[in-house]
Amino acid sequence: MFFKKKLIANKNVKHVGNEDSIPPSRELMSSEFKNRLHNSADIFENEVGCSGITIFYIGTLIEKTMLYQFIIEPIKELSFDSIQKIMEYLSVAEIEKSNQMDMVVKSALEGNVIIYLEGDSSVLLAKIPSTVGRSLTFAENESAVIGPQIAFNESLLTNISLIRNYLKDPKLCIENLNVGSHTNKTVSIVYMNGIASEQMVGTLRQRIQNIKIDGIIDSSGLLQLIEDNSLSIFPLMLLTERPDRVSDLLLKGKLAIFVDGSSLAIVCPQSFLEFFQSLEDYNVNWQIGTFLRFLRFIGLFISVFFTSIYVACLTFHYEVIPQTLLLPLSESRSKVPFPPMFEALILEFFIELLREAGARLPTKVGQTMGIVGGIVIGTAAVDAGFTSNILIIIIALAALGSFVTPSYSMGNVIRGLRFPLIILAGFWGFYGIMYGFCFLLLHMLKQSSLGTPYLSPFYPPRFSDWKDSIVRLPYQFTYKRADLNRPEDEYKYAPEKAKEKN
């Protein structure tokens, strides 16, 4: 909280309408204020000095030291004949005048101190909220080797200031909305004016305003209420904890949403391919960035299809297995009592149990649990003839493939898709895998993110956007913003300057 000098403290004072007026006496004001807050135990009422000044506040929401230093101490020895005189004397940066009781109660819930003068028809709302929250730390779920390491925290003001530090541009626009009849959460829409599509901004604003719910706690809950199809297994909007990534996407014409109390930002629109892109791809040269993207898509294929292909080959299609592998496969499966489909499902289930247990346990214990549990269970299962050693290798590779995805939500989808594909492969072999793949492809073709195609730029084909999709070409070839975002300004920099040599 910042405090200005006394002479300039009250430049931006708001005056509110005159309905639901302030009670004319301190006793009535006290009774009305407490009744509207249902006589909560953390409501405080203090008389200041002897001139009829009373302050009301919710003790758990304000900073007590600042209350005494900037409000009580300056006025306790003085007398005032109007609330306007108090407002001119106090040096609190955020102070406003109100004569509506509804606004008084709402302001108290936002960390304001209510300054009441006996006989005056208005009160002062001085904002001195307590600073509850953790300090800025490293990004835990989206770590990067090259580039900034800082991550968002649960303070909305801090998160917005991080974006402001990256984008020091007056075109950066922030719109605040309130969501939840009980939580009354502040939701901020952030975008670059002149770059982001006005139609998308209006659509997103309308979706948030149309939410009628008692409350939301986190950005992930809001995302499920505003995405195009909440029944789809695929994430249609991006959740990220990195301010550098959000800033980069804002420059591309995307929109960001912040929820007070959440350390994750929502970014939209988002295509399927963009979930496999990382800001680190742009921090290395384009050859390495392209290689990393190819590596992620290979990991996607291995994670989703490798186990199901193994099940299909051993159940129906022995002819596709090279003869040199038939003997090791038959030897490894000679003691296994289960058919390949059940064997694969059981091992995949064990792997997911280990992963979930490692995520829920404390960090040091979780890492030990994952490593030791995987080694012990895998070795014991092979020695007991419960499973084959080749399947252990395949499932371990499939698990590794899901970890290379930069997005945690997309990684969860990849984990979930393996199970139905294994079942289809166990019943119909390669035909079942193909049926499952076609179903997923048709499903993704129907999806959209904030009204934009989910499989862009391949469907519908936008060849200009292929330069920054699976491959990442040098910067001089990517001077145009992606058509997916429908930007108002299509160019990052002048095309005629793109190929000039230094």
Side-chain angles (χ1 to χ4, degrees), residues 1 3-4 6 48 55 62-76 89-92 113 128:
M1 199 69 204
F3 296 91
K4 301 179 182 178
K6 196 178 300 182
V48 181
I55 58 174
I62 64 126
E63 184 62 50
K64 302 288 182 58
T65 304
M66 295 169 63
L67 170 65
Y68 181 80
Q69 182 178 358
F70 295 101
I71 295 179
I72 296 178
E73 182 66 22
I75 65 175
K76 68 178 182 179
Y89 190 81
L90 291 176
S91 57
V92 180
V113 174
I128 50 172

Side-chain angles (χ1 to χ4, degrees), residues 21 39 255:
S21 60
N39 293 303
L255 317 179

Side-chain angles (χ1 to χ4, degrees), residues 99-358:
N99 55 12
Q100 287 185 350
M101 198 62 198
D102 283 342
M103 186 173 181
V104 167
V105 175
K106 180 181 178 181
S107 299
L109 292 170
E110 294 175 351
N112 285 265
V113 174
I114 316 303
I115 305 174
Y116 175 82
L117 179 64
E118 184 85 29
D120 203 299
S121 60
S122 300
V123 296
L124 294 181
L125 311 175
K127 192 164 189 177
I128 50 172
S130 61
T131 55
V132 178
R134 60 187 174 93
S135 59
L136 296 174
T137 57
F138 296 105
E140 295 184 2
N141 297 321
E142 298 176 74
S143 58
V145 178
I146 302 176
Q149 303 295 323
I150 200 168
F152 292 125
N153 66 6
E154 286 75 18
S155 171
L156 177 62
L157 293 177
T158 302
N159 295 340
I160 296 296
S161 68
L162 288 173
I163 300 299
R164 286 282 188 190
N165 286 332
Y166 280 102
L167 303 176
K168 299 176 181 179
D169 191 333
K171 292 183 179 181
L172 181 65
C173 294
I174 301 166
E175 297 184 17
N176 286 342
L177 303 170
N178 290 327
V179 176
S181 57
H182 294 330
T183 56
N184 199 27
K185 285 280 187 179
T186 301
V187 176
S188 296
I189 303 174
V190 183
Y191 59 94
M192 294 295 293
N193 188 31
I195 297 179
S197 167
E198 293 183 5
Q199 181 182 1
M200 286 188 178
V201 174
T203 301
L204 187 59
R205 184 190 304 118
Q206 182 179 10
R207 288 186 185 183
I208 296 176
Q209 289 174 340
N210 290 342
I211 295 175
K212 305 300 179 184
I213 193 172
D214 57 352
I216 58 169
I217 303 299
D218 190 69
S219 298
S220 54
L222 177 66
L223 183 147
Q224 298 174 55
L225 295 171
I226 63 174
E227 61 184 352
D228 296 46
N229 181 13
S230 59
L231 299 179
S232 175
I233 189 175
F234 292 97
L236 304 179
M237 297 181 180
L238 176 68
L239 281 172
T240 179
E241 60 178 346
R242 298 184 62 93
D244 55 332
R245 188 176 189 184
V246 173
S247 302
D248 178 70
L249 294 175
L250 288 174
L251 290 174
K252 294 180 178 179
K254 295 184 184 294
L255 317 179
I257 307 167
F258 294 89
V259 177
D260 191 16
S262 174
S263 61
L264 295 173
I266 305 171
V267 180
C268 58
Q270 190 79 357
S271 69
F272 176 75
L273 293 181
E274 288 177 326
F275 283 98
F276 298 90
Q277 298 175 4
S278 172
L279 190 60
E280 198 171 5
D281 300 344
Y282 302 95
N283 296 334
V284 296
N285 55 16
W286 69 274
Q287 297 95 335
I288 302 300
T290 300
F291 169 73
L292 293 175
R293 289 188 182 180
F294 272 113
L295 194 65
R296 295 187 194 113
F297 284 105
I298 292 171
L300 168 67
F301 175 82
I302 291 174
S303 182
V304 175
F305 294 106
F306 220 35
T307 310
S308 56
I309 290 174
Y310 168 85
V311 171
C313 289
L314 291 187
T315 307
F316 296 100
H317 310 287
Y318 274 100
E319 65 277 4
V320 302
I321 303 174
Q323 291 185 355
T324 54
L325 284 179
L326 282 175
L327 183 59
L329 275 174
S330 59
E331 289 179 352
S332 65
R333 285 196 44 81
S334 59
K335 298 180 181 179
V336 178
F338 306 109
M341 182 180 73
F342 288 105
E343 179 190 7
L345 287 174
I346 291 172
L347 276 184
E348 287 282 6
F349 182 72
F350 284 166
I351 288 290
E352 295 303 324
L353 277 181
L354 284 172
R355 184 185 298 187
E356 194 66 17

Side-chain angles (χ1 to χ4, degrees), residues 23 43 78 91 142 231 236 401 465 476 491:
I43 298 175
L78 303 175
S91 57
E142 298 176 74
L231 299 179
L236 304 179
D465 292 351
Q476 58 264 33
Y491 295 99

